[in-house]
């Protein structure tokens, strides 16, 4: 039975006589638009400025050509490849009665020639071929990306901004520690709030104070650190306020439920809900595949080997889950998942812990997905009391 959210093929019957098919090869400077117009033998190709209104006028012109050829159009299907432009164009076209789709870039098979020709014209023709196969309901041509609403996209911004700010904080701190190590100074913690006051008391291995230029540089870096800390605190405070205002609505209820699991904080819970758990994924395999926690086997004839993780999914989810898996072993030692991991890694013939932690992360993700969708608490997992 076909799933309602199956994006690997179209579930709508394709009638080539009354369907106008359009693909757009998008770049920063221009859009190359290709179409299959019923009743018109040629396959039109038009280069436009990146302008949605001009694209809409072109589609209407092709529709009129089909009507003049005696082929009234009842369906307009348009597709473009996922990229820097995101999903705004798809939402804009859908609001104007056009069936818009976004093709997953990694799902399109390309030539394996060592020096294959690549132009916008060839890419548009390739997109048209795979899109027509998808419209016919055939699997394997390409996969579509679920088009989020603007509210869903905006809800991911705080978690992603906080992640970049934490990386910026670590980068500044590590650069300052490296500069101090070149002067023979160790043990100084530049990320502390009182660090600027202690700069004057630092002494190099040669017994002198810090040089003037590096002192000025450190003060500027510490000012940046203070600003980054303030911005991180502001993001966390705003998130907590939003959870308090609407604790039981939509994704907020999922975040609060996940945060009850001992070992999972609000930040991790919010990231998991916004990035993956609030999406309407088909089954547990789709959940693991979206996170890139599935294998990539290489089999041909007698050759059998595993190339490791596919890493084709959401990198933020994958990194967060692997970190969470290590933390889960510390805080949920009596859970069935932790016992499963220890059984397979302990002893002289146990599997490598770094290998099995990925398997644990995959099982943990599926268990958390079931928790927020069906309310099924993983076996042996301890929960905090409900607030």
């Amino acid at each position: 039975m076909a799933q309602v959210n199956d994006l690997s093929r179209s579930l709508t019957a394709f009638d080539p006589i009354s369907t106008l098919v359009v693909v757009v090869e998008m770049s920063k400077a221009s859009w190359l638009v290709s179409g299959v117009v019923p009743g018109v033998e040629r396959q039109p190709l038009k280069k436009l400025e990146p302008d949605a209104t001009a694209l809409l006028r072109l589609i209407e012109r092709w529709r009129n050509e089909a009507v003049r050829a005696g082929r009234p159009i009842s369906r307009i299907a348009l597709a473009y490849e996922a990229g820097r432009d995101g999903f705004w164009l798809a939402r804009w076209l859908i609001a104007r009665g056009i069936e818009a789709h976004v093709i997953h870039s990694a799902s399109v098979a390309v030539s394996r020639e060592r020096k294959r020709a690549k132009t916008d014209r060839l890419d548009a023709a390739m997109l048209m071929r795979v899109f027509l196969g998808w419209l016919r309901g055939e699997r394997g041509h390409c996969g579509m990306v679920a088009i989020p609403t603007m509210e869903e996209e905006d809800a991911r911004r705080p978690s992603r901004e906080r992640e970049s700010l934490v990386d910026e904080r670590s980068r500044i701190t590590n650069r300052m520690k490296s500069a101090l190590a070149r002067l023979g100074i160790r043990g100084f913690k530049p990320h502390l709030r009182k660090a600027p006051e202690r700069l004057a008391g630092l002494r190099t291995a040669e017994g002198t104070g810090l040089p003037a230029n590096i002192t000025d540089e450190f003060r500027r870096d510490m000012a940046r650190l203070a600003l980054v800390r303030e911005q991180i605190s502001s993001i966390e405070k705003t998130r907590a306020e939003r959870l308090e205002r609407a604790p039981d609505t939509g994704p907020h209820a999922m975040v609060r439920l996940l945060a009850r699991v001992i070992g999972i904080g609000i930040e991790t819970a919010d990231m998991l809900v916004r990035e993956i758990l609030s999406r309407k994924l088909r089954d547990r395999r789709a959940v693991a595949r979206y996170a890139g926690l599935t294998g990539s086997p290489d089999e041909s004839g007698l050759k059998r080997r595993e190339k490791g993780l596919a890493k084709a999914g959401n990198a933020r989810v994958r990194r967060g889950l692997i970190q969470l898996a290590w933390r889960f072993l510390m805080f949920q030692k009596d859970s069935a998942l932790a016992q499963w991991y220890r059984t397979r890694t302990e002893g002289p013939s146990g599997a490598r812990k770094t290998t099995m932690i990925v398997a644990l992360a995959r099982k943990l993700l599926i268990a958390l997905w079931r928790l927020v969708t069906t309310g099924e608490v993983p076996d042996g997992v301890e929960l905090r009391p409900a607030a």
Side-chain angles (χ1 to χ4, degrees), residues 21-25 32-36 43-46 62 124-125 128:
V21 183
V22 182
V23 296
V24 185
E25 172 62 23
L32 185 62
V33 188
S34 176
V36 174
Q43 184 170 320
L45 195 68
K46 181 70 175 178
W62 287 348
M128 179 60 75

Side-chain angles (χ1 to χ4, degrees), residues 5 13 24 64 97 118 145 166-167 169 177 179 201 204 263 292 318 372:
N5 59 348
V24 185
N64 294 334
K118 186 184 184 304
V145 182
V166 170
D167 291 342
R169 182 179 63 187
K177 288 182 177 180
T204 66
R318 186 167 57 253
V372 298

Side-chain angles (χ1 to χ4, degrees), residues 92-125:
W92 190 85
L93 291 170
I94 290 172
R96 285 154 180 79
I98 295 176
E99 180 186 330
H101 302 277
V102 181
I103 300 175
H104 195 302
S105 304
S107 69
V108 179
V110 298
S111 171
R112 294 186 294 175
E113 295 176 5
R114 183 172 177 269
K115 291 186 177 181
R116 69 181 181 92
K118 186 184 184 304
T119 64
D120 287 345
R121 183 183 294 267
L122 292 175
D123 288 346

Side-chain angles (χ1 to χ4, degrees), residues 340-386:
W340 175 88
Y341 175 84
R342 287 196 298 269
T343 301
R344 284 157 178 78
T345 55
E346 290 177 349
S349 60
R352 289 182 56 188
K353 293 184 177 181
T354 53
T355 300
M356 293 305 298
I357 201 68
V358 177
L360 176 63
R362 182 168 55 246
K363 286 181 172 292
L364 179 59
L365 173 61
I366 294 170
L368 296 178
W369 173 67
R370 287 173 174 160
L371 173 63
V372 298
T373 54
T374 66
E376 178 186 347
V377 179
D379 189 17
V381 169
E382 296 182 19
L383 300 180
R384 299 184 181 94

Side-chain angles (χ1 to χ4, degrees), residues 210-220:
L210 294 180
N213 287 335
I214 201 169
T215 301
D216 293 340
E217 178 185 346
F218 277 10
R219 294 196 182 280
R220 289 189 291 269

